Each structure stands twice: as C-alpha cells, then as structure tokens.
Amino acid sequence: MAISVDLIAYTPNPEKVVAMSAHLCYSPIGAKQIGENLDEANSARLVRQMVNSGHHSTLEHVSFSFAIEGISRACTHQLVRHRIASYSHQSQRYVKAVDFERIVPDTIKYKPEAKEKFDKLMAQIAETYNEFVEMGIPAEDARFVLPNAAETKIVVTMNARSLLHFFEERCCNRAQWEIRAMANLMLQEVRKVAPVLFAKAGPTCEYGRFCREGKRSCGKLEALLAEDAKKKEN
C-alpha cells in the first residue's frame, strides 16, 4: 500500500507572513502596513535571511496541515515524538479494524519465505481480531492483538520551524525507511507553496555539508564533499 500525503491547509502567503514578521522586529510601523508595501522579491530576501541567520521564531507564524494515509502504526509511533505539532489519529477504539490493511517492508515483501510467514501471521491476527469483535469484545480491547503493521491514517499540523527540524531528522538516510519516505513526500508538498522557505530543508549533509550522525553517518556527506571538490577543480 503506497503512502499518500496531501497538504490540505496552510497559512495563506506563508513566505510573506514570515517576511512581515521579520520586518516588524526592526520597523516602527505595523505588520499590516509592512505587508502592503512588501513585494515578492523582498519577501524572498527576508525569508532567506531568517532561515540562514537562525532567526527561526518568525517561522512559527505559518503552519501546514497534512492528511496522511497508507502508513503503519510503527510509523505514527515515531511521528508523534515530534512534540511541537498537532495530531488527529484514526482511533482503534472507535474504528473497527476488521480485515485491516497492512504495511509490508520491502525486506519482507521481496523475500518469498519471509513474505509467506508474514502473510500467514497477519491472516491469523485478522481472523482472531474479527472473532473477538463478533464475540462482542469492544474494539478498544480487541485492538490489543493488532500489529505495528496495521495501516492507519493521521492529520498532522506543524509550523514551519518544526517542519524544518522534522525534515532535518526524518529525511536523513539514517531515518527509518517508512517515515523517511513520508517526510520526503511532505517536503515535496510544502515546497510547492513555499519554495524559498523550504529551499534548504532536509538532511544537514545536503544544505549544510555537515552530519550530526558522527560514526553512524551513511557516507553521503563524504560523497557530497568529494563532488564539491571536483566541481572546484573544474
């Protein structure tokens, strides 16, 4: 089952709002008046300045909401660890998971003997869950047998500052594959409506040429640095 990410709402003119907030800090006039005289080029310049300078409090004035489907409970358990955000998660208490969809990792999907065992176990779990529900066991108790592989849906809202941190952590090659795929789709969505704001979003090796993973680095930084050096030579 493919991951689906839709940007369902966001602050109108997000980059202009960030620019207005930034300009206000150093202006004797109000934000509304600033906005009336702020063109696209100046907005972009101010947004770049805020992102590059680390003045990220101005980024908190804009937010983005995503509708996400086709992810596992294992993925949402990681997602909700990002605390400066709002979540509305499909409830297993009230939504019965009869014949639930399941997410299959590629490492299992493309290994026949593993896939066979996985499918057999999922079928057994689904049968047991369905039997519990038919016996009158409440969904909130029947769910105790459901696996991390069970598909779920969630609405997520984050401000731009939180999203930059999220993309830095979860677009990294060291992130777990499922949340990394989801994060990359989220990044694609916000870049459509705020390309300047999220121009340098993503793992630090790509935009900052450094890596926080230390000895656990995936090696991408070294490859990027070698590519940079080759370009300079040419």
Side-chain angles (χ1 to χ4, degrees), residues 105-128:
D106 285 350
T107 52
I108 294 176
K109 183 187 298 183
Y110 298 114
K111 186 172 289 187
E113 63 273 28
K115 181 64 161 52
E116 182 180 355
K117 288 179 179 292
F118 181 89
D119 288 342
K120 183 178 180 180
L121 178 59
M122 292 300 110
Q124 182 181 350
I125 291 173
E127 182 180 356
T128 301

PDB file of all heavy atoms in Angstrom, residues 105-128:
ATOM      1  N   PRO A 105       7.186  -4.233   4.821  1.00  0.00           N
ATOM      2  CA  PRO A 105       8.522  -3.728   4.472  1.00  0.00           C
ATOM      3  C   PRO A 105       9.080  -4.471   3.261  1.00  0.00           C
ATOM      4  O   PRO A 105       8.820  -5.675   3.078  1.00  0.00           O
ATOM      5  CB  PRO A 105       9.358  -4.034   5.725  1.00  0.00           C
ATOM      6  CG  PRO A 105       8.356  -4.199   6.825  1.00  0.00           C
ATOM      7  CD  PRO A 105       7.145  -4.784   6.180  1.00  0.00           C
ATOM      8  N   ASP A 106       9.845  -3.783   2.417  1.00  0.00           N
ATOM      9  CA  ASP A 106      10.435  -4.418   1.236  1.00  0.00           C
ATOM     10  C   ASP A 106      11.328  -5.594   1.604  1.00  0.00           C
ATOM     11  O   ASP A 106      11.433  -6.570   0.847  1.00  0.00           O
ATOM     12  CB  ASP A 106      11.245  -3.389   0.436  1.00  0.00           C
ATOM     13  CG  ASP A 106      10.337  -2.430  -0.333  1.00  0.00           C
ATOM     14  OD1 ASP A 106       9.115  -2.678  -0.400  1.00  0.00           O
ATOM     15  OD2 ASP A 106      10.867  -1.429  -0.858  1.00  0.00           O
ATOM     16  N   THR A 107      12.000  -5.495   2.753  1.00  0.00           N
ATOM     17  CA  THR A 107      12.904  -6.575   3.160  1.00  0.00           C
ATOM     18  C   THR A 107      12.147  -7.875   3.405  1.00  0.00           C
ATOM     19  O   THR A 107      12.738  -8.962   3.355  1.00  0.00           O
ATOM     20  CB  THR A 107      13.673  -6.188   4.439  1.00  0.00           C
ATOM     21  OG1 THR A 107      12.736  -5.767   5.439  1.00  0.00           O
ATOM     22  CG2 THR A 107      14.659  -5.069   4.167  1.00  0.00           C
ATOM     23  N   ILE A 108      10.861  -7.771   3.665  1.00  0.00           N
ATOM     24  CA  ILE A 108       9.999  -8.958   3.814  1.00  0.00           C
ATOM     25  C   ILE A 108       9.287  -9.262   2.506  1.00  0.00           C
ATOM     26  O   ILE A 108       9.201 -10.413   2.076  1.00  0.00           O
ATOM     27  CB  ILE A 108       8.973  -8.731   4.945  1.00  0.00           C
ATOM     28  CG1 ILE A 108       9.687  -8.620   6.297  1.00  0.00           C
ATOM     29  CG2 ILE A 108       7.942  -9.855   4.979  1.00  0.00           C
ATOM     30  CD1 ILE A 108       8.777  -8.293   7.459  1.00  0.00           C
ATOM     31  N   LYS A 109       8.798  -8.207   1.853  1.00  0.00           N
ATOM     32  CA  LYS A 109       7.995  -8.366   0.635  1.00  0.00           C
ATOM     33  C   LYS A 109       8.735  -9.134  -0.454  1.00  0.00           C
ATOM     34  O   LYS A 109       8.135  -9.968  -1.168  1.00  0.00           O
ATOM     35  CB  LYS A 109       7.593  -6.991   0.108  1.00  0.00           C
ATOM     36  CG  LYS A 109       6.693  -7.023  -1.118  1.00  0.00           C
ATOM     37  CD  LYS A 109       6.470  -5.632  -1.671  1.00  0.00           C
ATOM     38  CE  LYS A 109       5.777  -4.726  -0.691  1.00  0.00           C
ATOM     39  NZ  LYS A 109       5.502  -3.386  -1.255  1.00  0.00           N
ATOM     40  N   TYR A 110      10.043  -8.868  -0.607  1.00  0.00           N
ATOM     41  CA  TYR A 110      10.785  -9.470  -1.712  1.00  0.00           C
ATOM     42  C   TYR A 110      11.620 -10.679  -1.297  1.00  0.00           C
ATOM     43  O   TYR A 110      12.518 -11.097  -2.021  1.00  0.00           O
ATOM     44  CB  TYR A 110      11.667  -8.406  -2.377  1.00  0.00           C
ATOM     45  CG  TYR A 110      10.836  -7.292  -2.967  1.00  0.00           C
ATOM     46  CD1 TYR A 110      10.901  -5.999  -2.468  1.00  0.00           C
ATOM     47  CD2 TYR A 110       9.950  -7.546  -4.021  1.00  0.00           C
ATOM     48  CE1 TYR A 110      10.111  -4.984  -3.003  1.00  0.00           C
ATOM     49  CE2 TYR A 110       9.169  -6.536  -4.561  1.00  0.00           C
ATOM     50  CZ  TYR A 110       9.256  -5.261  -4.050  1.00  0.00           C
ATOM     51  OH  TYR A 110       8.471  -4.262  -4.576  1.00  0.00           O
ATOM     52  N   LYS A 111      11.307 -11.243  -0.149  1.00  0.00           N
ATOM     53  CA  LYS A 111      11.933 -12.486   0.287  1.00  0.00           C
ATOM     54  C   LYS A 111      10.796 -13.489   0.474  1.00  0.00           C
ATOM     55  O   LYS A 111      10.096 -13.461   1.496  1.00  0.00           O
ATOM     56  CB  LYS A 111      12.709 -12.276   1.584  1.00  0.00           C
ATOM     57  CG  LYS A 111      13.510 -13.489   2.015  1.00  0.00           C
ATOM     58  CD  LYS A 111      14.411 -13.160   3.208  1.00  0.00           C
ATOM     59  CE  LYS A 111      15.558 -12.253   2.797  1.00  0.00           C
ATOM     60  NZ  LYS A 111      16.515 -12.066   3.910  1.00  0.00           N
ATOM     61  N   PRO A 112      10.568 -14.365  -0.490  1.00  0.00           N
ATOM     62  CA  PRO A 112       9.378 -15.224  -0.509  1.00  0.00           C
ATOM     63  C   PRO A 112       9.094 -15.955   0.794  1.00  0.00           C
ATOM     64  O   PRO A 112       7.937 -15.973   1.252  1.00  0.00           O
ATOM     65  CB  PRO A 112       9.682 -16.209  -1.648  1.00  0.00           C
ATOM     66  CG  PRO A 112      10.571 -15.445  -2.565  1.00  0.00           C
ATOM     67  CD  PRO A 112      11.424 -14.593  -1.669  1.00  0.00           C
ATOM     68  N   GLU A 113      10.130 -16.543   1.403  1.00  0.00           N
ATOM     69  CA  GLU A 113       9.878 -17.302   2.620  1.00  0.00           C
ATOM     70  C   GLU A 113       9.442 -16.391   3.770  1.00  0.00           C
ATOM     71  O   GLU A 113       8.598 -16.766   4.603  1.00  0.00           O
ATOM     72  CB  GLU A 113      11.112 -18.117   3.023  1.00  0.00           C
ATOM     73  CG  GLU A 113      12.358 -17.319   3.362  1.00  0.00           C
ATOM     74  CD  GLU A 113      13.236 -16.991   2.169  1.00  0.00           C
ATOM     75  OE1 GLU A 113      12.705 -16.888   1.035  1.00  0.00           O
ATOM     76  OE2 GLU A 113      14.459 -16.845   2.375  1.00  0.00           O
ATOM     77  N   ALA A 114       9.998 -15.170   3.806  1.00  0.00           N
ATOM     78  CA  ALA A 114       9.608 -14.211   4.840  1.00  0.00           C
ATOM     79  C   ALA A 114       8.195 -13.686   4.580  1.00  0.00           C
ATOM     80  O   ALA A 114       7.385 -13.550   5.505  1.00  0.00           O
ATOM     81  CB  ALA A 114      10.596 -13.061   4.885  1.00  0.00           C
ATOM     82  N   LYS A 115       7.894 -13.385   3.313  1.00  0.00           N
ATOM     83  CA  LYS A 115       6.562 -12.870   2.946  1.00  0.00           C
ATOM     84  C   LYS A 115       5.473 -13.907   3.273  1.00  0.00           C
ATOM     85  O   LYS A 115       4.385 -13.553   3.749  1.00  0.00           O
ATOM     86  CB  LYS A 115       6.536 -12.537   1.450  1.00  0.00           C
ATOM     87  CG  LYS A 115       5.206 -11.974   0.949  1.00  0.00           C
ATOM     88  CD  LYS A 115       4.875 -10.635   1.588  1.00  0.00           C
ATOM     89  CE  LYS A 115       3.833  -9.858   0.807  1.00  0.00           C
ATOM     90  NZ  LYS A 115       2.611 -10.586   0.501  1.00  0.00           N
ATOM     91  N   GLU A 116       5.777 -15.169   3.043  1.00  0.00           N
ATOM     92  CA  GLU A 116       4.808 -16.226   3.342  1.00  0.00           C
ATOM     93  C   GLU A 116       4.499 -16.276   4.833  1.00  0.00           C
ATOM     94  O   GLU A 116       3.333 -16.368   5.242  1.00  0.00           O
ATOM     95  CB  GLU A 116       5.354 -17.580   2.870  1.00  0.00           C
ATOM     96  CG  GLU A 116       4.396 -18.734   3.084  1.00  0.00           C
ATOM     97  CD  GLU A 116       4.953 -20.063   2.613  1.00  0.00           C
ATOM     98  OE1 GLU A 116       6.068 -20.072   2.032  1.00  0.00           O
ATOM     99  OE2 GLU A 116       4.291 -21.097   2.823  1.00  0.00           O
ATOM    100  N   LYS A 117       5.538 -16.179   5.651  1.00  0.00           N
ATOM    101  CA  LYS A 117       5.346 -16.197   7.106  1.00  0.00           C
ATOM    102  C   LYS A 117       4.578 -14.953   7.561  1.00  0.00           C
ATOM    103  O   LYS A 117       3.700 -15.016   8.427  1.00  0.00           O
ATOM    104  CB  LYS A 117       6.693 -16.272   7.813  1.00  0.00           C
ATOM    105  CG  LYS A 117       7.400 -17.619   7.713  1.00  0.00           C
ATOM    106  CD  LYS A 117       8.733 -17.581   8.431  1.00  0.00           C
ATOM    107  CE  LYS A 117       9.435 -18.928   8.358  1.00  0.00           C
ATOM    108  NZ  LYS A 117       8.720 -19.965   9.143  1.00  0.00           N
ATOM    109  N   PHE A 118       4.932 -13.804   6.975  1.00  0.00           N
ATOM    110  CA  PHE A 118       4.275 -12.541   7.315  1.00  0.00           C
ATOM    111  C   PHE A 118       2.777 -12.615   7.003  1.00  0.00           C
ATOM    112  O   PHE A 118       1.933 -12.280   7.849  1.00  0.00           O
ATOM    113  CB  PHE A 118       4.937 -11.401   6.539  1.00  0.00           C
ATOM    114  CG  PHE A 118       4.377 -10.042   6.822  1.00  0.00           C
ATOM    115  CD1 PHE A 118       4.884  -9.253   7.840  1.00  0.00           C
ATOM    116  CD2 PHE A 118       3.334  -9.523   6.050  1.00  0.00           C
ATOM    117  CE1 PHE A 118       4.367  -7.989   8.106  1.00  0.00           C
ATOM    118  CE2 PHE A 118       2.814  -8.262   6.298  1.00  0.00           C
ATOM    119  CZ  PHE A 118       3.332  -7.499   7.334  1.00  0.00           C
ATOM    120  N   ASP A 119       2.458 -13.060   5.794  1.00  0.00           N
ATOM    121  CA  ASP A 119       1.056 -13.131   5.382  1.00  0.00           C
ATOM    122  C   ASP A 119       0.269 -14.101   6.263  1.00  0.00           C
ATOM    123  O   ASP A 119      -0.893 -13.833   6.625  1.00  0.00           O
ATOM    124  CB  ASP A 119       0.954 -13.572   3.920  1.00  0.00           C
ATOM    125  CG  ASP A 119       1.405 -12.489   2.951  1.00  0.00           C
ATOM    126  OD1 ASP A 119       1.474 -11.319   3.369  1.00  0.00           O
ATOM    127  OD2 ASP A 119       1.686 -12.814   1.785  1.00  0.00           O
ATOM    128  N   LYS A 120       0.886 -15.207   6.604  1.00  0.00           N
ATOM    129  CA  LYS A 120       0.222 -16.201   7.448  1.00  0.00           C
ATOM    130  C   LYS A 120      -0.084 -15.617   8.826  1.00  0.00           C
ATOM    131  O   LYS A 120      -1.188 -15.784   9.361  1.00  0.00           O
ATOM    132  CB  LYS A 120       1.110 -17.443   7.578  1.00  0.00           C
ATOM    133  CG  LYS A 120       0.478 -18.572   8.374  1.00  0.00           C
ATOM    134  CD  LYS A 120       1.400 -19.788   8.407  1.00  0.00           C
ATOM    135  CE  LYS A 120       0.775 -20.923   9.210  1.00  0.00           C
ATOM    136  NZ  LYS A 120       1.670 -22.114   9.256  1.00  0.00           N
ATOM    137  N   LEU A 121       0.893 -14.896   9.396  1.00  0.00           N
ATOM    138  CA  LEU A 121       0.701 -14.293  10.709  1.00  0.00           C
ATOM    139  C   LEU A 121      -0.362 -13.200  10.662  1.00  0.00           C
ATOM    140  O   LEU A 121      -1.232 -13.113  11.544  1.00  0.00           O
ATOM    141  CB  LEU A 121       2.018 -13.725  11.228  1.00  0.00           C
ATOM    142  CG  LEU A 121       1.967 -13.010  12.583  1.00  0.00           C
ATOM    143  CD1 LEU A 121       1.459 -13.952  13.671  1.00  0.00           C
ATOM    144  CD2 LEU A 121       3.333 -12.432  12.943  1.00  0.00           C
ATOM    145  N   MET A 122      -0.312 -12.347   9.635  1.00  0.00           N
ATOM    146  CA  MET A 122      -1.296 -11.268   9.512  1.00  0.00           C
ATOM    147  C   MET A 122      -2.711 -11.832   9.371  1.00  0.00           C
ATOM    148  O   MET A 122      -3.668 -11.298   9.945  1.00  0.00           O
ATOM    149  CB  MET A 122      -0.967 -10.368   8.314  1.00  0.00           C
ATOM    150  CG  MET A 122       0.301  -9.543   8.467  1.00  0.00           C
ATOM    151  SD  MET A 122       0.278  -8.401   9.866  1.00  0.00           S
ATOM    152  CE  MET A 122       1.495  -9.214  10.922  1.00  0.00           C
ATOM    153  N   ALA A 123      -2.844 -12.911   8.590  1.00  0.00           N
ATOM    154  CA  ALA A 123      -4.153 -13.534   8.415  1.00  0.00           C
ATOM    155  C   ALA A 123      -4.669 -14.097   9.732  1.00  0.00           C
ATOM    156  O   ALA A 123      -5.867 -13.969  10.056  1.00  0.00           O
ATOM    157  CB  ALA A 123      -4.066 -14.642   7.363  1.00  0.00           C
ATOM    158  N   GLN A 124      -3.766 -14.687  10.498  1.00  0.00           N
ATOM    159  CA  GLN A 124      -4.157 -15.242  11.802  1.00  0.00           C
ATOM    160  C   GLN A 124      -4.589 -14.139  12.762  1.00  0.00           C
ATOM    161  O   GLN A 124      -5.588 -14.267  13.478  1.00  0.00           O
ATOM    162  CB  GLN A 124      -2.980 -16.023  12.400  1.00  0.00           C
ATOM    163  CG  GLN A 124      -3.290 -16.680  13.732  1.00  0.00           C
ATOM    164  CD  GLN A 124      -2.093 -17.432  14.299  1.00  0.00           C
ATOM    165  OE1 GLN A 124      -1.089 -17.625  13.619  1.00  0.00           O
ATOM    166  NE2 GLN A 124      -2.196 -17.841  15.549  1.00  0.00           N
ATOM    167  N   ILE A 125      -3.834 -13.022  12.766  1.00  0.00           N
ATOM    168  CA  ILE A 125      -4.182 -11.889  13.623  1.00  0.00           C
ATOM    169  C   ILE A 125      -5.540 -11.309  13.218  1.00  0.00           C
ATOM    170  O   ILE A 125      -6.394 -11.023  14.064  1.00  0.00           O
ATOM    171  CB  ILE A 125      -3.099 -10.800  13.564  1.00  0.00           C
ATOM    172  CG1 ILE A 125      -1.809 -11.295  14.244  1.00  0.00           C
ATOM    173  CG2 ILE A 125      -3.580  -9.508  14.220  1.00  0.00           C
ATOM    174  CD1 ILE A 125      -0.632 -10.356  14.080  1.00  0.00           C
ATOM    175  N   ALA A 126      -5.736 -11.134  11.908  1.00  0.00           N
ATOM    176  CA  ALA A 126      -7.003 -10.581  11.416  1.00  0.00           C
ATOM    177  C   ALA A 126      -8.168 -11.487  11.789  1.00  0.00           C
ATOM    178  O   ALA A 126      -9.237 -11.007  12.212  1.00  0.00           O
ATOM    179  CB  ALA A 126      -6.933 -10.394   9.902  1.00  0.00           C
ATOM    180  N   GLU A 127      -7.981 -12.795  11.648  1.00  0.00           N
ATOM    181  CA  GLU A 127      -9.039 -13.745  11.994  1.00  0.00           C
ATOM    182  C   GLU A 127      -9.365 -13.671  13.484  1.00  0.00           C
ATOM    183  O   GLU A 127     -10.540 -13.651  13.867  1.00  0.00           O
ATOM    184  CB  GLU A 127      -8.595 -15.159  11.616  1.00  0.00           C
ATOM    185  CG  GLU A 127      -9.646 -16.221  11.901  1.00  0.00           C
ATOM    186  CD  GLU A 127      -9.194 -17.622  11.513  1.00  0.00           C
ATOM    187  OE1 GLU A 127      -8.084 -17.756  10.948  1.00  0.00           O
ATOM    188  OE2 GLU A 127      -9.936 -18.584  11.776  1.00  0.00           O
ATOM    189  N   THR A 128      -8.321 -13.610  14.315  1.00  0.00           N
ATOM    190  CA  THR A 128      -8.534 -13.532  15.758  1.00  0.00           C
ATOM    191  C   THR A 128      -9.245 -12.235  16.133  1.00  0.00           C
ATOM    192  O   THR A 128     -10.191 -12.235  16.938  1.00  0.00           O
ATOM    193  CB  THR A 128      -7.193 -13.630  16.509  1.00  0.00           C
ATOM    194  OG1 THR A 128      -6.565 -14.868  16.169  1.00  0.00           O
ATOM    195  CG2 THR A 128      -7.398 -13.556  18.019  1.00  0.00           C
TER     196      THR A 128
END
